[in-house]
Structures are given as structure tokens and as C-alpha cells.
Amino acid sequence: MLSDVMEDYLKAIYVLQTESGPPVSTSAIAERVGKTPPTVTSMLETLEERGLVEREKYKGAELTEEGRTVALEVLRHHRLLEAYLAERLDYSWSEVHEEADALEHHISEEFERRVASALGDPAVDPHGDPIPGADLEPPADDDTRPLTEVAVGDRVVIARVSDRDDEELEYLDRAGITPGTTVEVVDIAPFGMVTVVGGPDREPHGSDADGDGGEREQSLPEAIAGAVRVRPVEEVNGAAATDAGVGGA
Amino acid sequence: MLSDVMEDYLKAIYVLQTESGPPVSTSAIAERVGKTPPTVTSMLETLEERGLVEREKYKGAELTEEGRTVALEVLRHHRLLEAYLAERLDYSWSEVHEEADALEHHISEEFERRVASALGDPAVDPHGDPIPGADLEPPADDDTRPLTEVAVGDRVVIARVSDRDDEELEYLDRAGITPGTTVEVVDIAPFGMVTVVGGPDREPHGSDADGDGGEREQSLPEAIAGAVRVRPVEEVNGAAATDAGVGGA
DNA sequence: GTGAAGGATTAGACGAGTCTAACTGAAATA
DNA sequence: TATTTCAGTTAGACTCGTCTAATCCTTCAC
């Protein structure tokens, strides 16, 4: 049986690997799980003995297929929980992360099934992150890119928002930059400040927006814009695009 | 911060204390938490240092007020979770225990509040056990007694059913002996075998009962009947009618 | 090609929680 | 009261996950 701690490392490696490809460095893992590098080295050894990662000393680590499956299971739990909390217990999308982190290691398979089915097998969580399927196959790459890489004049749909930082999330929530919203980039200033215009085209999360539904202009610092991924508006294909359970409740 | 493990010990001590009064023996705790007696001794020392239990060597242990508050918090989590799982995720009352055990240490105060309010602040869990209030005051003694102590001819309401053993629970579920059911004791045979007649007078838990709503005769072995607590029929709601401290352990 | 910088690993220690084996104390019995 | 029994405790060891300090690569700049 794997400990919670191991599951956390595996999840961290998976996410890092997805963001920037393998191999993943010791220090990147350390940073993400909030431990020191020696601790990570030693855990990596354990994980390697168990066949969950492969690593090359001084280079970095990579999940084995088994390790990836475990990571996807944890991620599925995490994102299903986030979706459930937002949809059934009235959490706002910026609040769900921490609770899901605490619970993700402790739910049974039965619980997972019941939650998934209560929600109708949602494809994405409230931040727009894809929820791995019950088969635990890695999700296909999507066609999103960071908001910082969009050209001025483009109209795009907010696809997802990194759930790493609470303050960022609050900021974006107040700014109305939520998954599913369509915006147009009107300016990219020095230092990466991105200005967008647009607003929710369906109901927003959490407390309701003010009446001006849709044409606010927002300027986002680069640090925040970089945490937002977008996709082209014209996208309509079945799985990812419009429905997909994004708009909580 | 208290570990999950400590919370488990505290919960165990609380329950044992409630069942048979303080002090609680090392071996009783060991049995309940599934650890060896030396392990318990050593944990008891830790708990004493932290001011959560008082103990007298070779005699036994007792919760301090602070220890009791922690135990009640855990119990509140446990029972709220059981109630939520049964009511909102379609678990049957015999399935909820294990899931709640795993989750009880990891939910936030916020989660506790939301679950409680989603359910309308329920007073009892699906097994009939009282859910401690948000104030964490110890619940008053109730007027229940074990089914084995009822006189032949008495009509009584099933108040609660011990949630310790899955098989017992399944057995009782199939037999229709569920909290809220009114039964009449028609016989007490040698070896404590108790025969009752009756059935659900309100809706049963889990899958619906067959049409014959209420006159099956059931014979329960003593081991099982002892896990069932009952109260007089004339009792109407949870507001504890009189002070008749009969069943009080 | 050499050296400096900086990330990674090794070494060693520690606290938590657990165990088994050995011993101690308390309580019941004779 | 002396003995026996058995629960409770002490002793000592082990695993896990963690840390700090010291050392060891690798790589990048010159």
C-alpha cells in the first residue's frame, strides 16, 4: 500500500512532467511538495525501488507507467472532489483546492464511483483541468496555450486556470476570468501585462457578478496571465468545448 | 496539531468511557484501536503530556475536558459523514462506517459546517448514534437499553445499532431491524436468543422493503441483540422525555 | 580546458508510531 | 499471608519520512 506522502510525490511529478516534460528535477519536486531536496532524493530512491519512477542520478526522474497510473488516480480523486464540492456543497471554485488535497488520498473506489456518477461523469474540474477517466489513461493533449501567448485582437475562451495559488484564484474570480468565459485581448503591455475585454457568457461561479455582464476591461499582470490557459473560440468539438460541466451547478 | 492516530485513540477512549465509564483499561483501548498494549501505554504517555488524558499507572486512563472535546469533534465528523453518505450518496446504513472512518480526520471546519447545514443539522447518524453538536458539549444520556434487557411482551423502538461490525449490520439490515422500527419482543429463549415481531413504521434505509410492511418475526442471537439498543415506544422525539436513567451504562 | 556556481546526493540524526520480549505490579485464590 | 495469574509497563529495536551539514557532480563561462 502506498502512503499519502508517496501519492503526493507521484502527483507532483506527474503535473511537472505534464507542464514541462520529463525528466523532472529534484528541486522542482522539492519546491512543489514543500520538502527539502535531500528528502526528495531519498523518496525518489524508494519510489524507484517500488517501480513507480525511473531516474538517472543527477539528472532527474520520470514516472513509469505504473507510477503514472497512480498519479492519475490521485488526480482523478482530486478533481472529482473539487467538482463535487463546487457543485453540491456550494464551494466557490477558488476554495475547493485545499479541501480536495486533504481528502484525495482517503476516499474509496466506491466513493469515487458514486461521486462521479452523481455529477454525471464530468470531464473537467472547476478550474477547467481535465478529470482523468476511470480507465486512468492519460488525457490527450489539448489545444490550449497560456494567455500570455495570445496575439492582440484574438478572441479566446478561458480554458483553465492554475489552481496552485489561492490569491491568484481570488483575483481572477473577482476579475471574472473564469473557465468558459470568452475574452478578447486588447493589449499586451511591457512586462507582460495583458489587457482583455469580455466577461462571463454564462453564469459565473460563486457569488453572482454585478449587472454589467460582459464588457469589463481587465489588465492582468504577467504572473497571473501566465496561470491562465485559453483555447480558440471556434472550438466546438464534443468533449472539451462548450458543455463539459464547467459552470458549477 | 494532533495526528490522525492520536485522534483515533481519543475517539476510542471516549467511546469506551461512554460504554462503561472511566477509567478505561490499556487492553480495552488496544483491542479497539487494533494495536498492542505496549503501543497503547506509550501513546497514553504522549497524550498525558499533551493534557488530553489523565491516567494512573496500572489503573487506566480517562479523558480530560480537552481530550473529550477533541474526541467529540472527531465523532461529530464521523457521524455527519455517515449521515451525508447515506442521504446524499446513496450509501446504505451498513456501508457508511468505513468510509467515514477514513475521512473523519481530514475534513475542514468549513466542510463540517456545509455538510451539517446541507442535511439540516441532523441529530443522529444512520445507525441511530447521536451526532455531537457544533458546541461539542457531551450529549445527555438517553433512555435506551440493550434489546437483551427488554421484557417479553414489551413494545419498543429500535434506537440504535452498534456500528462496529459489518456482518452484524448486514444481518440486521436484512432482518429489517433498523433505527426507528417498532418491534414487540415475543420471546427470550435460552442463550439469550431474542425473538421480535414488527417492522419498519417509517421508510427503511437503503433499498425499499417489500410490501408486507411490518409483521415479520425475527429471532436474533444474543451477540447481535446485544448490539441493538431500544427505547420505549411512547417516546416521541429526541427531546429526552424523563430522567429515567435505566439504560445508562 | 579549467574553474566557479549551483543543483544533487551522501551522511548522519531525529521524532513518531509501532512491535516483541522481558519484567513488574495488583488482585484473586488458597 | 503466600502464591499464582495476568494485565500493564519497560527496554530496546525498527521503519518511515524528515531535516541539516557536508560532499559530489555537471555545466557554463572564460
Side-chain angles (χ1 to χ4, degrees):
Chain A
M1 199 46 202
L2 298 182
S3 69
D4 307 359
V5 172
M6 286 183 195
E7 291 184 352
D8 276 334
Y9 281 91
L10 261 8
K11 183 177 67 161
I13 298 168
Y14 179 85
V15 172
L16 291 168
Q17 210 167 265
T18 303
E19 280 171 5
S20 354
V24 176
S25 76
T26 300
S27 49
I29 300 170
E31 152 100 52
R32 201 164 220 277
V33 299
K35 301 285 155 62
T36 62
T39 300
V40 173
T41 297
S42 121
M43 179 55 77
L44 250 17
E45 281 163 3
T46 306
L47 259 14
E48 186 172 35
E49 277 163 22
R50 302 242 199 155
L52 298 162
V53 309
E54 268 163 17
R55 65 199 215 94
E56 212 178 331
K57 266 207 204 167
Y58 295 99
K59 291 294 168 42
E62 181 173 354
L63 295 177
T64 61
E65 198 178 320
E66 192 189 343
R68 198 191 55 204
T69 300
V70 173
L72 284 166
E73 172 86 21
V74 178
L75 227 38
R76 174 168 165 82
H77 288 180
H78 182 94
R79 293 179 181 163
L80 277 173
L81 282 164
E82 289 190 335
Y84 190 89
L85 294 172
E87 177 144 336
R88 295 299 166 87
L89 285 171
D90 250 4
Y91 277 76
S92 80
W93 63 291
S94 58
E95 294 173 320
V96 295
H97 182 71
E98 223 182 336
E99 195 83 48
D101 252 3
L103 261 19
E104 64 189 4
H105 307 294
H106 304 103
I107 67 174
S108 68
E109 292 306 286
E110 184 61 26
F111 187 92
E112 174 195 316
R113 274 193 293 278
R114 290 185 191 233
V115 164
S117 107
L119 298 177
D121 290 306
V124 296
D125 76 9
H127 308 105
D129 288 313
I131 299 176
D135 60 3
L136 301 182
E137 287 306 313
D141 286 349
D142 56 28
D143 58 347
T144 65
R145 61 191 190 288
L147 181 54
T148 46
E149 289 175 13
V150 172
V152 171
D154 279 6
R155 281 181 70 75
V156 292
V157 177
I158 307 299
R160 34 202 173 104
V161 159
S162 161
D163 63 355
R164 299 266 14 238
D165 186 299
D166 263 13
E167 287 191 31
E168 260 173 40
L169 253 23
E170 292 291 350
Y171 183 101
L172 288 164
D173 201 5
R174 279 195 302 275
I177 307 294
T178 63
T181 307
T182 301
V183 299
E184 182 176 335
V185 175
V186 296
D187 186 43
I188 300 188
F191 304 106
M193 176 78 77
V194 178
T195 303
V196 301
V197 58
D201 39 26
R202 48 199 94 228
E203 62 197 317
H205 293 261
S207 54
D208 202 6
D210 38 16
D212 65 17
E215 288 307 318
R216 275 194 294 169
E217 197 169 297
Q218 303 285 342
S219 289
L220 308 171
E222 181 178 33
I224 288 189
V228 176
R229 294 184 75 87
V230 300
R231 59 180 145 76
V233 274
E234 57 275 11
E235 172 82 59
V236 183
N237 85 53
T242 49
D243 51 352
V246 173
Chain B
M1 197 46 198
L2 298 182
S3 68
D4 306 2
V5 173
M6 286 184 194
E7 291 185 352
D8 275 335
Y9 280 91
L10 260 7
K11 183 177 66 161
I13 297 168
Y14 178 85
V15 172
L16 290 168
Q17 209 167 268
T18 304
E19 279 170 5
S20 354
V24 177
S25 75
T26 301
S27 49
I29 301 168
E31 152 100 53
R32 199 159 222 279
V33 300
K35 301 284 154 62
T36 61
T39 301
V40 173
T41 296
S42 121
M43 180 54 78
L44 251 17
E45 282 162 2
T46 306
L47 260 13
E48 188 172 35
E49 277 163 21
R50 301 243 200 156
L52 298 162
V53 308
E54 268 163 20
R55 64 197 216 96
E56 212 178 330
K57 263 208 205 169
Y58 295 100
K59 292 292 169 42
E62 181 174 353
L63 295 176
T64 61
E65 196 178 321
E66 191 189 344
R68 198 192 55 204
T69 300
V70 173
L72 284 166
E73 172 86 23
V74 177
L75 227 39
R76 175 169 164 82
H77 288 180
H78 182 94
R79 293 179 180 162
L80 278 174
L81 283 164
E82 288 191 336
Y84 190 88
L85 294 172
E87 177 145 336
R88 296 298 168 86
L89 286 172
D90 250 5
Y91 277 77
S92 80
W93 63 292
S94 58
E95 294 173 320
V96 295
H97 183 72
E98 222 181 337
E99 195 83 47
D101 251 3
L103 260 20
E104 64 189 6
H105 308 293
H106 304 103
I107 67 174
S108 67
E109 291 307 287
E110 183 61 26
F111 187 92
E112 175 194 315
R113 274 194 292 277
R114 290 185 190 232
V115 164
S117 106
L119 298 176
D121 290 306
V124 296
D125 76 8
H127 307 106
D129 287 314
I131 299 175
D135 60 4
L136 302 181
E137 287 306 312
D141 286 349
D142 55 29
D143 59 347
T144 65
R145 60 190 189 287
L147 181 54
T148 47
E149 288 175 14
V150 172
V152 170
D154 280 6
R155 280 182 69 76
V156 292
V157 178
I158 308 298
R160 33 199 174 108
V161 159
S162 160
D163 63 355
R164 300 264 17 234
D165 186 297
D166 263 13
E167 286 190 32
E168 262 172 39
L169 252 24
E170 292 291 351
Y171 183 100
L172 288 165
D173 201 5
R174 280 194 303 274
I177 307 294
T178 62
T181 307
T182 301
V183 299
E184 182 176 336
V185 176
V186 296
D187 187 42
I188 301 188
F191 305 106
M193 176 77 77
V194 179
T195 303
V196 302
V197 59
D201 41 24
R202 47 198 98 226
E203 63 196 317
H205 292 259
S207 57
D208 201 7
D210 39 17
D212 67 15
E215 287 308 318
R216 276 193 292 168
E217 197 169 298
Q218 303 285 343
S219 289
L220 308 171
E222 182 181 32
I224 288 189
V228 177
R229 293 184 75 88
V230 300
R231 58 180 146 77
V233 275
E234 55 275 13
E235 170 86 55
V236 177
N237 58 16
T242 63
D243 59 358
V246 182

